[in-house]
Amino acid sequence: MSKKISFEVKNIPYKKINSTLFVIGQYKSDKVEKSLDTLFDGRLTTAFKVDSFKGDYNKSVELYGNKNISKLCVIGLGDKKIFTSDKLRALAANIIRKAESNKISSISIDSKSFGLSNDILSQAFSEGLMLGQYSFNYYKSKKTNTVVKKIQVIGESSLKALNKGSVIGSAVNYSRDLGNHPANILTPTYLANEAKQISKSKNFKVKIIDIKDFERLGLGSFYGVAMGSATPAKFIIVEYFGGKKNDKPFGLIGKGLTFDTGGISLKPPTRMDEMKFDMCGGATVFGLMKAVSELQPKMNIIFAIGATENTPSSNAQRPGDIVKAYNGKTIEVLNTDAEGRLVLADVLSYINKNYKPSAMIDFATLTGAVLIALGDRASGIMGNNEKLINDIKLSSEETGEMVWQLPLWDEYCKDIKSQIADIKNLGRSRLAGTISAGAFLKEFVDKTPWVHVDIAGTAWGPKEPSYMPKNGATGVAVRLIYNLLEKKI
Ligand code: BES
Ligand code: MN
Ligand code: ZN
């Protein structure tokens, strides 16, 4: 949980600053900032010498007691040639964490040394502040409130860019909150209510399809997963029309398994609690919805989340069952734990048919296998359109959210053919599990440009760098995809 930080930009000389903490950056081979050193009677030069401070990345020097600046902190930016916006984002997170732990509410930041006259850097900086301030203490009876509510930027900087970073950062935090709530609280109905809440914003409309209508509408694949659970499933669709009336919408789709026990193909008990995070793909879509509701980009977007639990019961789907998806394809369900693809099959084909999107991206904690392939830092991406894949790779470089492409070659796509139905929900045992899940989804997008993002390794922590949480949901891909959407306006 975190409230947005508000910014004030003040273009004043150092001697006019009035602040408890003033933070300034220092590149490796750069000279000491003369005017500041003078203001501190040459003690800055002394401190650099005594601490052997050379401006190495994330090393810092602190000075106390000038009459207007109670504490001065110089943070190393490292080598100028390899400095990136992502490094700045991480430094901002460190700054806010330090201020929070020392309960310093009034901070001023030097714009010039941190490069905050540049919009990309100032956005990254305020994102880092928001992300670093995040903690999830909703269920603690003793809540600790955040201390830093306002930040002064000294020098030239765009308030618009700073505020945008704050909006995007808090959208990521919102996504983290949704991921972190446990399954007894965060049900499909809870998510549907969140969608209704956001849809009160300008240009939004919401449509919730209840489980009782799934079969009648032909959502047989989604229904098969949902029918065993006493907690009712919801198909959540949110329309955003901020663009021209006839512009095709962009489709953003999320797997929203509020808990995945595996169903009749029950998972082993170890770390099963983590399966409350199986709705993190949906949480990514919700984070994007939140950012869009506040920033109102001039484009059309359809957000869709397939929300359900996957549980064993006497009404649950059995291994071997055959179901029919929305696009008419029949699926042999060989393992009820490969449920995410079954839900997404219907969500993708429903959105594709009813909204004719210009492109679709889906987010899902789909396979444990992606952790084997890529570890827990990069999300796996695959799709049917190289242009869209390359656009996402570019956004990945710009946002620091790592992705890596896996192939969807025809040779692999054959692995999901079934003997008795059109396809089956398993590939070959232990081989290329992430790719066969992607190959399965490909059957439901027709010719529409589409990319699947497997976030099973990236959706929850512990994670680095410092703006990521030490535990719990990460809000992965919200920043990545907002960056992409902006390029489509
Ligand atoms: N939600 C899981 C994937 C998962 C596993 C995410 C571990 C994060 C950590 C998904 O529904 C699942 O169970 N997938 C199976 C597929 C298999 C049965 C083909 C898996 O990955 O084991
Ligand atoms: Mn599963
Ligand atoms: Zn799952």
Side-chain angles (χ1 to χ4, degrees), residues 255 257 260-263 265 267 275 278 310 335-340 365-366:
K255 168 178 172 180
L257 264 286
D260 178 15
T261 67
S265 314
K267 284 181 182 297
M275 284 300 115
D278 213 19
N310 182 27
N335 187 322
T336 66
D337 197 13
E339 85 299 339
T365 48
L366 207 60

Short mmCIF file of all heavy atoms in Angstrom, two decimals, residues 255 257 260-263 265 267 275 278 310 335-340 365-366, ligand 2:
data_model
loop_
_atom_site.label_atom_id
_atom_site.label_comp_id
_atom_site.label_asym_id
_atom_site.label_seq_id
_atom_site.Cartn_x
_atom_site.Cartn_y
_atom_site.Cartn_z
N LYS A 255 -4.52 -13.89 -16.75
CA LYS A 255 -4.94 -15.10 -16.02
C LYS A 255 -5.21 -14.71 -14.58
O LYS A 255 -4.34 -14.18 -13.90
CB LYS A 255 -3.82 -16.15 -16.09
CG LYS A 255 -4.02 -17.34 -15.14
CD LYS A 255 -2.91 -18.39 -15.26
CE LYS A 255 -3.04 -19.46 -14.18
NZ LYS A 255 -1.98 -20.50 -14.24
N LEU A 257 -6.29 -16.67 -11.73
CA LEU A 257 -6.58 -17.81 -10.85
C LEU A 257 -6.37 -17.35 -9.40
O LEU A 257 -5.23 -17.22 -8.95
CB LEU A 257 -5.68 -19.00 -11.20
CG LEU A 257 -6.26 -20.06 -12.15
CD1 LEU A 257 -7.29 -20.92 -11.43
CD2 LEU A 257 -6.87 -19.45 -13.39
N ASP A 260 -4.81 -21.68 -7.13
CA ASP A 260 -4.64 -22.86 -7.97
C ASP A 260 -4.12 -24.03 -7.14
O ASP A 260 -2.94 -24.12 -6.83
CB ASP A 260 -3.64 -22.53 -9.11
CG ASP A 260 -3.36 -23.73 -10.00
OD1 ASP A 260 -4.14 -24.72 -9.94
OD2 ASP A 260 -2.37 -23.68 -10.76
N THR A 261 -5.05 -24.92 -6.78
CA THR A 261 -4.63 -26.13 -6.03
C THR A 261 -4.14 -27.21 -6.99
O THR A 261 -3.58 -28.21 -6.57
CB THR A 261 -5.81 -26.75 -5.25
OG1 THR A 261 -6.75 -27.26 -6.20
CG2 THR A 261 -6.48 -25.73 -4.35
N GLY A 262 -4.40 -27.01 -8.27
CA GLY A 262 -4.14 -28.05 -9.26
C GLY A 262 -5.42 -28.79 -9.65
O GLY A 262 -5.49 -29.44 -10.66
N GLY A 263 -6.45 -28.69 -8.80
CA GLY A 263 -7.70 -29.42 -9.08
C GLY A 263 -7.52 -30.90 -8.75
O GLY A 263 -6.74 -31.25 -7.85
N SER A 265 -5.93 -33.08 -10.34
CA SER A 265 -4.47 -33.34 -10.47
C SER A 265 -3.77 -32.48 -9.42
O SER A 265 -3.00 -31.57 -9.73
CB SER A 265 -3.97 -32.97 -11.86
OG SER A 265 -4.80 -33.47 -12.88
N LYS A 267 -1.84 -30.43 -6.60
CA LYS A 267 -0.43 -30.08 -6.42
C LYS A 267 0.09 -30.65 -5.11
O LYS A 267 -0.67 -30.82 -4.16
CB LYS A 267 -0.28 -28.55 -6.36
CG LYS A 267 -0.39 -27.83 -7.68
CD LYS A 267 -0.19 -26.34 -7.49
CE LYS A 267 -0.35 -25.58 -8.80
NZ LYS A 267 0.65 -25.93 -9.82
N MET A 275 0.32 -20.24 -4.49
CA MET A 275 -0.64 -20.25 -5.60
C MET A 275 -1.77 -19.21 -5.43
O MET A 275 -2.64 -19.09 -6.28
CB MET A 275 -1.18 -21.66 -5.84
CG MET A 275 -0.17 -22.54 -6.56
SD MET A 275 0.30 -21.85 -8.18
CE MET A 275 2.01 -21.48 -7.95
N ASP A 278 -1.45 -16.84 -8.30
CA ASP A 278 -1.75 -17.30 -9.66
C ASP A 278 -2.71 -16.36 -10.40
O ASP A 278 -3.08 -16.61 -11.55
CB ASP A 278 -2.30 -18.73 -9.62
CG ASP A 278 -1.90 -19.54 -10.83
OD1 ASP A 278 -0.93 -19.16 -11.52
OD2 ASP A 278 -2.57 -20.56 -11.11
N ASN A 310 -9.12 -22.88 -8.86
CA ASN A 310 -9.02 -24.24 -9.41
C ASN A 310 -8.92 -25.18 -8.22
O ASN A 310 -7.90 -25.22 -7.55
CB ASN A 310 -7.76 -24.33 -10.29
CG ASN A 310 -7.59 -25.70 -10.94
OD1 ASN A 310 -8.57 -26.41 -11.17
ND2 ASN A 310 -6.34 -26.05 -11.24
N ASN A 335 -4.50 -32.95 -17.76
CA ASN A 335 -4.03 -32.60 -16.41
C ASN A 335 -4.80 -31.36 -15.97
O ASN A 335 -4.72 -30.32 -16.61
CB ASN A 335 -2.52 -32.34 -16.45
CG ASN A 335 -1.93 -32.14 -15.07
OD1 ASN A 335 -2.55 -31.53 -14.19
ND2 ASN A 335 -0.73 -32.65 -14.85
N THR A 336 -5.55 -31.49 -14.88
CA THR A 336 -6.38 -30.35 -14.47
C THR A 336 -5.54 -29.21 -13.89
O THR A 336 -6.05 -28.12 -13.65
CB THR A 336 -7.45 -30.76 -13.43
OG1 THR A 336 -6.80 -31.16 -12.21
CG2 THR A 336 -8.34 -31.87 -13.95
N ASP A 337 -4.24 -29.47 -13.67
CA ASP A 337 -3.36 -28.41 -13.17
C ASP A 337 -2.84 -27.52 -14.31
O ASP A 337 -2.25 -26.47 -14.05
CB ASP A 337 -2.19 -29.04 -12.40
CG ASP A 337 -1.46 -28.03 -11.52
OD1 ASP A 337 -1.99 -26.92 -11.31
OD2 ASP A 337 -0.35 -28.36 -11.05
N ALA A 338 -3.03 -27.93 -15.54
CA ALA A 338 -2.68 -27.03 -16.65
C ALA A 338 -3.95 -26.24 -16.99
O ALA A 338 -4.49 -26.33 -18.10
CB ALA A 338 -2.17 -27.83 -17.84
N GLU A 339 -4.44 -25.48 -16.00
CA GLU A 339 -5.76 -24.83 -16.08
C GLU A 339 -5.69 -23.42 -16.66
O GLU A 339 -6.65 -22.95 -17.27
CB GLU A 339 -6.42 -24.80 -14.70
CG GLU A 339 -6.02 -23.62 -13.79
CD GLU A 339 -4.54 -23.56 -13.43
OE1 GLU A 339 -3.87 -24.60 -13.53
OE2 GLU A 339 -4.05 -22.47 -13.09
N GLY A 340 -4.53 -22.77 -16.49
CA GLY A 340 -4.44 -21.37 -16.94
C GLY A 340 -4.70 -21.26 -18.42
O GLY A 340 -5.45 -20.38 -18.88
N THR A 365 0.80 -16.41 -15.02
CA THR A 365 1.73 -17.28 -14.28
C THR A 365 1.45 -18.69 -14.78
O THR A 365 0.81 -19.48 -14.10
CB THR A 365 1.43 -17.17 -12.77
OG1 THR A 365 0.01 -17.30 -12.59
CG2 THR A 365 1.89 -15.84 -12.19
N LEU A 366 1.93 -18.96 -15.99
CA LEU A 366 1.40 -20.14 -16.70
C LEU A 366 2.16 -21.43 -16.45
O LEU A 366 1.55 -22.48 -16.36
CB LEU A 366 1.32 -19.84 -18.21
CG LEU A 366 0.24 -20.62 -18.95
CD1 LEU A 366 -1.14 -20.33 -18.39
CD2 LEU A 366 0.25 -20.34 -20.44
MN MN B 2 -2.07 -25.14 -12.36
#
